[in-house]
């Protein structure tokens, strides 16, 4: 595959759409992102990297962190985790509270905010409040091969100030006994986790173990069990884009996880990991041009799994 040519073609396809959509404005720290910014990176199992656009510019990965937090929680907690969080698409927005009351405070999946709070709760129980996030960052350093991956204190503070919806979710789940730790402790870790910044170059590299059956190609060691990788990819495919997860699977045909910072991580099992960033979002809070770029990449490169 001529990746360089493929990425350039994809860029040419989507360039006219740059600026369409709306940058996340639920916190001031994200509202200033440039809606025309774009980066697309591919890391392949043979160790090569390809990219187009601002592939060395760090952005807020937001909910993409939920993939790596889930990997950690599955390793630490195993199947016990599934007693407190489900594995079904929610069909609701990322921060929705409506299903929780009907379903006994158990969130539908680990990639909506409520489910991610339960995953972070598990990490806080196993690692402690401070180490939950520092161990997540250490994992990202290892997987990305970059020590520049870090929390952005301004974004974390903004999340904390404007985080009443997440606060409501956490207290609500605590009232059902599903959230185990004090909500403010879990929320603090969750807000810092959401504020992690990475480049698409680093993110593509960090996701590569999911394309490689759990083995980190950078260091050659296994970081996740075969079954964990299968499950994370299945959840990314079915639940990775909130109430547009079906649409993403239909258009792109790859496991993917989006974040409201405009990033998307997509996995091509056995071949590559792809990271795209473009901050302007569609109605469901997923990168509008990022989704389009992955759709074109999948079509032009014959990458659709189905
Ligand atoms: N920090 C965001 C929130 O919790 C994450 C949502 C997302 O990236 O989709 O509201």
């Amino acid at each position: 595959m001529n990746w360089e040519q493929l990425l350039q073609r994809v860029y040419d396809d989507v360039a006219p759409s740059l600026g369409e959509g709306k940058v996340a404005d639920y916190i001031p720290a994200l509202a200033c992102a440039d809606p025309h910014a774009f980066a697309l990176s591919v890391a392949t199992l043979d160790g090569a990297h390809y990219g187009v656009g601002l592939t060395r510019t760090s952005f807020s990965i937001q909910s993409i962190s939920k993939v790596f937090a889930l990997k950690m929680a599955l390793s630490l907690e195993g199947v016990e985790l599934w007693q407190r969080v489900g594995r079904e698409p929610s069909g609701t927005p990322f921060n929705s509270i409506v299903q929780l009351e009907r379903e006994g405070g158990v969130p539908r999946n680990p990639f909506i905010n409520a489910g991610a709070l339960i995953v972070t709760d598990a990490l806080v129980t196993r690692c402690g409040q401070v180490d939950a996030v520092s161990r997540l960052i250490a994992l990202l350093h290892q997987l990305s091969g970059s020590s520049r991956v870090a929390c952005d204190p301004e974004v974390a503070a903004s999340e904390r100030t404007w985080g009443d919806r997440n606060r409501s979710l956490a207290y609500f789940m605590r009232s059902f006994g599903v959230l185990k730790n004090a909500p403010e402790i879990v929320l603090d870790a969750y807000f810092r986790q959401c504020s992690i910044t990475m480049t698409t170059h680093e993110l593509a590299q960090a996701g590569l173990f999911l394309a490689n059956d759990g083995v980190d190609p950078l260091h050659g060691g296994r970081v996740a069990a075969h079954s964990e990788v299968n499950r994370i990819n299945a959840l990314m495919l079915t639940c990775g884009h909130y109430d547009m997860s079906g649409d993403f699977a239909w258009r792109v045909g790859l496991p993917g996880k989006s974040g409201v910072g405009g990033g998307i991580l997509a996995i091509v099992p056995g071949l590559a990991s792809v990271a795209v960033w473009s901050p302007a979002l569609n109605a469901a809070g997923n990168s509008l041009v990022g989704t389009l770029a992955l759709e074109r990449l999948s079509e032009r490169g014959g990458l659709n799994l189905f």
Side-chain angles (χ1 to χ4, degrees):
M1 172 117 54
N2 186 336
W3 284 103
E4 261 151 33
Q5 198 181 70
L6 177 61
L7 295 190
Q8 190 56 49
R9 291 216 167 118
V10 168
Y11 179 73
D12 294 342
D13 287 343
V14 303
S17 304
L18 283 170
E20 284 175 27
K22 197 166 165 287
V23 167
D25 57 3
Y26 75 100
I27 54 169
L30 289 182
C32 55
D34 174 8
H36 290 89
F38 180 81
L40 175 60
S41 291
V42 172
T44 55
L45 290 191
D46 56 11
H49 269 268
Y50 306 91
V52 63
L54 304 168
T55 59
R56 305 287 178 162
T57 301
S58 293
F59 65 96
S60 189
I61 69 165
Q62 291 290 330
S63 281
I64 304 171
S65 64
K66 293 170 184 171
V67 172
F68 301 95
L70 176 62
K71 182 248 142 333
M72 263 179 79
L74 284 176
S75 302
L76 291 166
E77 187 126 320
V79 290
E80 258 179 60
L81 185 67
W82 303 118
Q83 289 169 9
R84 295 196 284 145
V85 60
R87 309 184 288 246
E88 291 294 340
S90 69
T92 60
F94 65 95
N95 56 4
S96 173
I97 202 165
V98 289
Q99 273 166 350
L100 275 180
E101 182 169 22
R102 272 202 309 270
E103 299 181 2
V106 176
R108 277 284 175 106
N109 68 68
F111 292 154
I112 49 173
N113 284 12
L117 283 161
I118 294 300
V119 171
T120 303
D121 185 47
L123 296 184
V124 168
T125 300
R126 302 276 165 172
C127 312
Q129 183 186 1
V130 176
D131 275 4
V133 182
S134 52
R135 280 178 66 174
L136 181 60
I137 298 274
L139 174 70
L140 288 168
H141 286 172
Q142 180 198 334
L143 293 173
S144 69
S146 165
S147 54
R148 291 177 58 244
V149 178
C151 293
D152 178 334
E154 193 198 330
V155 173
S158 216
E159 297 277 358
R160 210 169 284 122
T161 308
W162 300 96
D164 286 341
R165 178 68 74 102
N166 285 319
R167 218 162 260 124
S168 309
L169 293 169
Y171 279 92
F172 200 54
M173 291 189 291
R174 172 83 172 169
S175 76
F176 284 97
V178 177
L179 192 97
K180 302 291 181 203
N181 293 284
E184 290 303 331
I185 289 179
V186 178
L187 286 159
D188 181 68
Y190 175 77
F191 293 144
R192 283 187 293 125
Q193 169 192 322
C194 286
S195 81
I196 292 172
T197 61
M198 294 176 82
T199 66
T200 56
H201 182 93
E202 291 162 345
L203 185 58
Q205 181 65 44
L208 208 46
F209 77 99
L210 291 169
N212 198 33
D213 195 30
V215 174
D216 170 11
L218 212 53
H219 306 95
R222 177 167 288 283
V223 288
H226 172 71
S227 61
E228 286 167 8
V229 169
N230 284 349
R231 282 162 182 166
I232 294 170
N233 279 322
L235 284 165
M236 287 171 76
L237 183 76
T238 53
C239 311
H241 284 74
Y242 309 118
D243 45 343
M244 272 182 120
S245 297
D247 188 65
F248 184 85
W250 190 80
R251 288 171 62 185
V252 179
L254 294 172
K257 180 72 202 89
S258 72
V260 292
I264 304 175
L265 173 67
I267 305 301
V268 192
L271 186 68
S273 163
V274 185
V276 63
W277 170 58
S278 183
L281 308 177
N282 62 25
N286 305 308
S287 174
L288 191 148
V289 173
T291 307
L292 192 60
L294 289 171
E295 186 178 7
R296 292 284 175 268
L297 184 77
S298 172
E299 271 169 23
R300 284 190 177 277
L303 304 178
N304 192 309
L305 292 182
F306 308 103

